[in-house]
């Protein structure tokens, strides 16, 4: 049964990714990205980490897609419905396929048969995050704050009569 | 399902994102492809944490930090793209030759 879920979520994830890199319409690309990220959230559920699936849906589905759509609307120019790839796309396809082959070969090479999975409860995760990883957690919050303040400073419009 | 299946899915997603970064012209679409690659890395980390390290699940916590940094990166990159669009009226990366030798 879970095999069917795995196959469906794989199709959703990789198919959404292929949609992102192949569609001509940039808004469709954002919606394909949403499909792909929801597929990844489903794979997290299959891996028994529901917390990460929730975080994935909230942050990517809720926040990042909205911000990307904002950027698309704000930078819409004449050529937008007909975005195109650059001339090096055959080389890029070759590099991507070669890299995928390399990764698959190295994953197959040490294919030990791990079958057991353990569920990580919310409480256990929170205890680890706020005890053992408290300092990195605070640093991450600082990084987020500084990055967003910097984003506001970069994107703000100059007032009249000011350089 | 074994660990290898999840790893192959994440490898496929990473390769798709790599193709997008190399072949797309619009900076917004390159950003989306980078998000795909970060998600592939997260999938790999969580699969490894779930199968190999169920007592300490370090990969799961690193994935939370990757998501944080990805959110910061998207905000900052979109600010830069907006500023670039205001100055140059384009977001195509091959028309932005400020640092060309």
């Amino acid at each position: 049964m879970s095999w069917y879920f795995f196959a469906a979520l794989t199709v959703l994830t990789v198919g959404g990714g292929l949609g992102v890199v192949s569609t001509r319409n940039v808004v469709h690309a954002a919606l394909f990205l949403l499909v792909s990220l929801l597929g990844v959230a489903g794979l997290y559920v299959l891996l028994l980490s529901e917390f990460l699936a929730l975080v994935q849906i909230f942050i990517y589905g809720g926040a990042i897609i909205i911000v990307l759509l904002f950027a698309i609307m704000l930078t819409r120019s004449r050529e937008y419905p007909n975005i195109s790839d650059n001339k090096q796309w055959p080389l890029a396809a070759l590099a991507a396929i070669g890299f995928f082959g390399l990764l698959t070969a190295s994953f197959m090479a040490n294919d030990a048969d791990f079958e057991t999975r353990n569920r990580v409860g919310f409480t256990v995760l929170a205890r680890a995050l706020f005890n053992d990883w408290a300092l990195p957690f605070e640093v991450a919050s600082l990084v987020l704050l500084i990055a967003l303040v910097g984003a506001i400073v970069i994107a703000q419009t100059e007032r009249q009569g000011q350089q | 399902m074994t660990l290898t299946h999840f790893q192959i899915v994440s490898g496929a997603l990473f390769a798709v994102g790599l193709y997008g970064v190399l072949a797309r012209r619009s900076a917004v679409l390159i950003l989306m492809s980078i998000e795909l690659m970060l998600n592939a890395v997260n999938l790999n980390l969580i699969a490894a944490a779930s199968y190999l390290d169920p007592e300490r699940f370090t990969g799961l916590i690193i994935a939370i930090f990757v998501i944080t940094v990805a959110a910061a990166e998207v905000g900052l990159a979109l600010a830069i793209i907006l500023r670039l669009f205001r100055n140059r009226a384009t977001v195509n990366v091959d028309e932005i030759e400020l640092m060309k030798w």
Side-chain angles (χ1 to χ4, degrees):
Chain A
M1 187 62 195
S2 84
W3 264 108
Y4 293 113
F5 278 118
F6 179 74
L9 288 168
T10 301
V11 169
L12 217 61
T13 304
V14 181
L18 286 174
V20 172
V21 298
S22 66
T23 180
R24 291 267 163 250
N25 187 326
V26 70
V27 180
H28 293 176
L31 297 179
F32 273 122
L33 181 65
L34 181 59
V35 169
S36 182
L37 299 181
L38 290 180
V40 174
L43 287 173
Y44 291 170
V45 173
L46 275 189
L47 285 167
L48 302 180
S49 44
E50 293 91 349
F51 177 70
L52 259 294
L54 272 176
V55 167
Q56 174 89 359
I57 290 171
F58 284 158
I59 293 186
Y60 280 107
I64 288 184
I65 295 290
I66 302 290
V67 173
L68 278 172
L69 283 173
F70 259 118
I72 290 166
M73 302 300 169
L74 288 173
T75 59
R76 184 175 280 276
S77 60
R78 263 168 281 120
E79 76 249 42
Y80 242 159
N82 294 316
I83 50 163
S84 56
D85 295 349
N86 58 21
K87 288 187 209 71
Q88 64 190 7
W89 72 266
L91 211 59
L94 202 67
I97 290 169
F99 193 69
F100 176 60
L102 196 67
L103 280 179
T104 309
S106 68
F107 289 149
M108 298 293 245
N110 40 20
D111 180 17
D113 208 19
F114 300 108
E115 277 285 7
T116 54
R117 277 171 293 161
N118 290 35
R119 183 181 299 272
V120 178
F122 281 21
T123 326
V124 183
L125 185 62
R127 195 165 291 135
L129 194 58
F130 291 112
N131 285 335
D132 307 339
W133 294 80
L135 185 67
F137 186 80
E138 295 298 327
V139 172
S141 67
L142 213 59
V143 165
L144 199 54
L145 177 69
I146 293 171
L148 293 183
V149 170
I152 293 169
V153 170
I154 291 173
Q156 85 182 148
T157 51
E158 291 111 6
R159 290 181 207 91
Q160 291 292 320
Q162 189 180 344
Q163 281 301 315
Chain B
M1 292 155 290
T2 62
L3 177 60
T4 312
H5 294 112
F6 285 99
Q7 283 179 327
I8 289 173
V9 173
S10 104
L13 197 59
F14 194 91
V16 169
L18 182 67
Y19 171 77
V21 168
L22 291 178
R24 288 302 218 181
R25 290 177 73 208
S26 164
V28 180
L29 283 158
I30 290 176
L31 200 59
M32 289 185 198
S33 305
I34 293 175
E35 290 301 315
L36 282 181
M37 291 165 89
L38 287 171
N39 266 279
V41 170
N42 270 346
L43 185 57
N44 207 341
L45 278 173
I46 291 173
S50 171
Y51 278 98
L52 302 180
D53 191 15
E55 283 86 32
R56 289 180 304 142
F57 45 90
T58 312
L60 228 144
I61 293 183
I62 294 176
I64 293 175
F65 291 134
V66 171
I67 290 178
T68 312
V69 173
E73 173 241 337
V74 165
L76 206 48
L78 289 179
I80 292 170
I81 289 172
L82 282 185
R83 166 63 63 177
L84 212 55
F85 180 73
R86 213 174 286 143
N87 286 347
R88 297 237 148 185
T90 181
V91 291
N92 285 344
V93 287
D94 50 359
E95 292 166 30
I96 300 161
E97 67 276 313
L98 284 168
M99 288 200 268
K100 205 169 180 179
W101 187 250

